[in-house]
Amino acid sequence: MTQETISTDVVIIGAGPCGLFAVFELGLLDMKCHLIDILDKPGGQCAELYPEKPIYDIPALPVVSGQELTERLMEQAEPFGPQYHYNEMVEELEKLEDGRFRVKTDGGLVFEAKVIVIAAGGGSFQPKKPPIPGIEAYEGKSVFYSVKRMENFRNKKVLISGGGDSALDWTINLQPIAESMQLIHRRDGFRAAPDSVNKMHALVEEKKMQFHLGQIVELHGDNGQLTGVTAKGNDGNNYEIECDTLLPFFGLTMKLGPIANWGINLHENLIPVDTEKFQTSEPGIFAIGDINTYPGKLKLILSGFHEAALMSQAAVRHAYPDAKVTFQYTTSSTSLQKKLGVA
Amino acid sequence: MRIILLDGKGREHELEAVEGWRVMEIIRDYGFPIVADCGGACACGTCQVEVDPAWAAKLHEPREDELDMLDQNYGGEWSRLSCQLIMTAELDGLRVRLSDIAIREAA
């Protein structure tokens, strides 16, 4: 796939609260930003882990949900025209001869930027793998953690494991084209839309699929091709399930991922930075929010906001060493107010 | 007040507990492998422990969101999220084992 290279001032890796606020702080200094996130939406952990949970320690917002905080940060960043690229994981980051950086994503997007801001929280969200011995040998051949093309599952004996929306949705969607459909879950309760749960029960009633209570403990097959699994029932007894395809849906977890290969110093899966510029061991690459570490670091959203502000001052000087940067307040500066579209 | 923690190798550790603290916070404070990505919001499941069956009945029943997280994290019969267990005088001496999931996620 050939893609046109996108040139910009800043590529921000991660569209969580810190990445979003960095757009604002960088924007006040006339830096244009592109944000890349592995999720299909902005907000990072706030959106993926706890959209409904109240947060109580954002200054001036006595209580706010992760979802609302995300929406407000998006609104605040909007005057600066940030470009969002969702469902993309940054795979490669390399330094160019002219001092800029080239970023490549798994979806084939290519960026060239003067400055990189890593605001990746706990790393990239990736599917949780069930702890079944030897499952790696089947991955990509007969065990899949997502459905990219439904057609791949036509005439397959599909077993789905899990009790959330993904598990239920794919059970219902793949059942008509699969040769057989079975669902296994550790209890008879689901964290899914009630309508989906009802549909699944109806399919079981009509004998179009089977539902098992229990957990998979062993996989059987050869050369990556599954032939069946052993499951442990809630009564402690084991039983066999015949299948040639397994789709485990256990939600997402955060892994450092490709960041480890970018040649910047790491300490226990975190990126050490200085507390003046929040710069990494590579000049021009900055790290803010949960992913960085420094003496006294607190993993708080408000700390990330502060880091974004200081980082931006350093980032603009890195990108435009000859430009004169004056510090101004949004309350009094007409030029900042023009940028915000309020003057 | 104390917690007895069994680590991944089955070794016993006696941890000084504080009333009102989450068991997750106490275990993590001692440096055992619990990442607690979500910071105790019952939203990531990385603080899973297995409670000694003798102690299980002394704990409150898991809420629906804790059950959801145990679903996503391959919870077993005695599994709980340690961020949902808050130390009280009644729980002095609580015995829990670090789960394989917690250890794997912290690796």
Side-chain angles (χ1 to χ4, degrees):
Chain A
M1 185 164 38
T2 47
Q3 280 271 0
E4 203 179 319
T5 299
I6 301 168
S7 274
T8 180
D9 290 323
V10 187
V11 163
I12 300 174
I13 302 169
C18 296
L20 292 172
F21 192 63
V23 172
F24 177 85
E25 288 293 336
L26 289 160
L28 290 177
L29 300 167
D30 295 321
M31 301 270 276
K32 290 285 173 210
C33 301
H34 283 250
L35 294 99
I36 306 173
D37 202 290
I38 195 167
L39 295 176
D40 59 0
K41 54 186 176 292
Q45 288 181 53
C46 283
E48 182 60 33
L49 289 184
Y50 43 85
E52 309 299 333
K53 304 235 170 182
I55 305 169
Y56 300 103
D57 60 355
I58 306 296
L61 294 175
V63 55
V64 64
S65 69
Q67 182 62 39
E68 191 187 353
L69 180 69
T70 303
E71 284 164 11
R72 288 182 171 223
L73 285 163
M74 298 270 290
E75 187 187 333
Q76 200 166 19
E78 199 44 45
F80 304 106
Q83 303 285 307
Y84 298 96
H85 307 272
Y86 300 122
N87 292 311
E88 296 283 341
M89 178 169 76
V90 174
E91 274 192 331
E92 290 175 37
L93 172 57
E94 58 172 329
K95 192 168 185 175
L96 301 174
E97 277 181 9
D98 63 5
R100 292 186 305 156
F101 299 93
R102 180 178 289 143
V103 168
K104 288 184 187 164
T105 70
D106 60 347
L109 297 182
V110 182
F111 300 82
E112 285 178 2
K114 294 185 168 76
V115 164
I116 303 294
V117 176
I118 303 174
S124 44
F125 279 99
Q126 290 172 14
K128 273 184 198 165
K129 299 181 177 187
I132 308 169
I135 193 167
E136 297 80 13
Y138 297 91
E139 288 170 358
K141 291 178 182 156
S142 56
V143 172
F144 304 93
Y145 297 103
S146 63
V147 175
K148 294 235 157 71
R149 283 187 68 237
M150 280 176 63
E151 270 309 301
N152 294 348
F153 301 96
R154 183 174 290 280
N155 300 329
K156 297 286 187 188
K157 296 173 191 162
V158 179
L159 174 64
I160 290 179
S161 179
D165 278 307
S166 299
L168 269 294
D169 289 351
W170 287 118
T171 297
I172 294 161
N173 290 335
L174 294 176
Q175 183 275 328
I177 63 168
E179 182 183 324
S180 65
M181 173 57 72
Q182 303 181 77
L183 174 67
I184 180 166
H185 183 42
R186 73 181 193 104
R187 65 187 172 109
D188 195 12
F190 299 87
R191 70 187 142 80
D195 183 51
S196 308
V197 179
N198 293 340
K199 274 186 186 153
M200 186 275 292
H201 283 307
L203 288 171
V204 173
E205 285 283 303
E206 295 163 31
K207 303 216 174 340
K208 288 180 173 164
M209 62 164 285
Q210 281 185 281
F211 172 60
H212 306 281
L213 274 173
Q215 276 189 339
I216 301 168
V217 291
E218 211 180 309
L219 304 180
H220 309 294
D222 270 317
N223 297 321
Q225 180 51 57
L226 207 60
T227 54
V229 307
T230 302
K232 187 182 183 191
N234 291 354
D235 56 3
N237 292 326
N238 286 358
Y239 56 94
E240 305 296 318
I241 301 174
E242 194 192 334
C243 61
D244 57 22
T245 303
L246 171 64
L247 298 170
F249 291 114
F250 291 98
L252 300 175
T253 182
M254 284 177 288
K255 293 276 172 238
L256 188 63
I259 293 172
N261 309 324
W262 297 345
I264 49 180
N265 288 349
L266 297 176
H267 176 70
E268 291 179 351
N269 282 346
L270 297 169
I271 305 175
V273 293
D274 66 83
T275 50
E276 180 196 345
K277 299 175 175 172
F278 296 92
Q279 189 161 249
T280 68
S281 59
E282 175 66 45
I285 303 181
F286 300 84
I288 58 172
D290 281 2
I291 195 114
N292 76 13
T293 182
Y294 51 83
K297 167 74 181 182
L298 287 180
K299 284 192 184 186
L300 291 176
I301 293 172
L302 78 94
S303 305
F305 290 165
H306 160 81
E307 293 163 18
L310 265 62
M311 173 280 294
S312 298
Q313 296 288 325
V316 70
R317 287 172 172 86
H318 179 92
Y320 298 99
D322 301 327
K324 188 172 179 295
V325 183
T326 47
F327 178 69
Q328 302 175 86
Y329 291 102
T330 54
T331 42
S332 54
S333 158
T334 316
S335 101
L336 291 190
Q337 288 168 1
K338 276 189 181 142
K339 292 175 198 178
L340 289 166
V342 292
Chain B
M1 194 175 286
R2 62 203 183 111
I3 296 171
I4 309 297
L5 178 75
L6 280 80
D7 67 18
K9 295 199 164 72
R11 290 177 300 220
E12 258 187 49
H13 304 269
E14 196 174 311
L15 315 186
E16 188 65 36
V18 182
E19 182 153 14
W21 276 43
R22 292 162 193 274
V23 172
M24 175 274 283
E25 289 163 335
I26 296 159
I27 298 174
R28 195 176 56 173
D29 247 31
Y30 270 86
F32 288 97
I34 277 191
V35 279
D37 271 328
C38 75
C42 194
C44 72
T46 57
C47 68
Q48 190 178 315
V49 293
E50 279 155 41
V51 176
D52 186 307
W55 284 89
K58 291 201 171 69
L59 303 173
H60 63 84
E61 289 286 310
R63 286 194 321 230
E64 190 61 24
D65 55 349
E66 185 182 347
L67 285 173
D68 290 346
M69 274 302 126
L70 291 169
D71 284 350
Q72 287 186 41
N73 289 282
Y74 240 66
E77 190 175 0
W78 308 108
S79 301
R80 295 296 300 262
L81 296 190
S82 57
C83 73
Q84 298 303 301
L85 306 177
I86 294 174
M87 281 310 288
T88 58
E90 244 202 322
L91 295 182
D92 187 7
L94 177 70
R95 280 178 74 89
V96 299
R97 196 179 78 80
L98 271 180
S99 71
D100 296 342
I101 291 280
I103 294 166
R104 186 184 76 175
E105 290 301 317

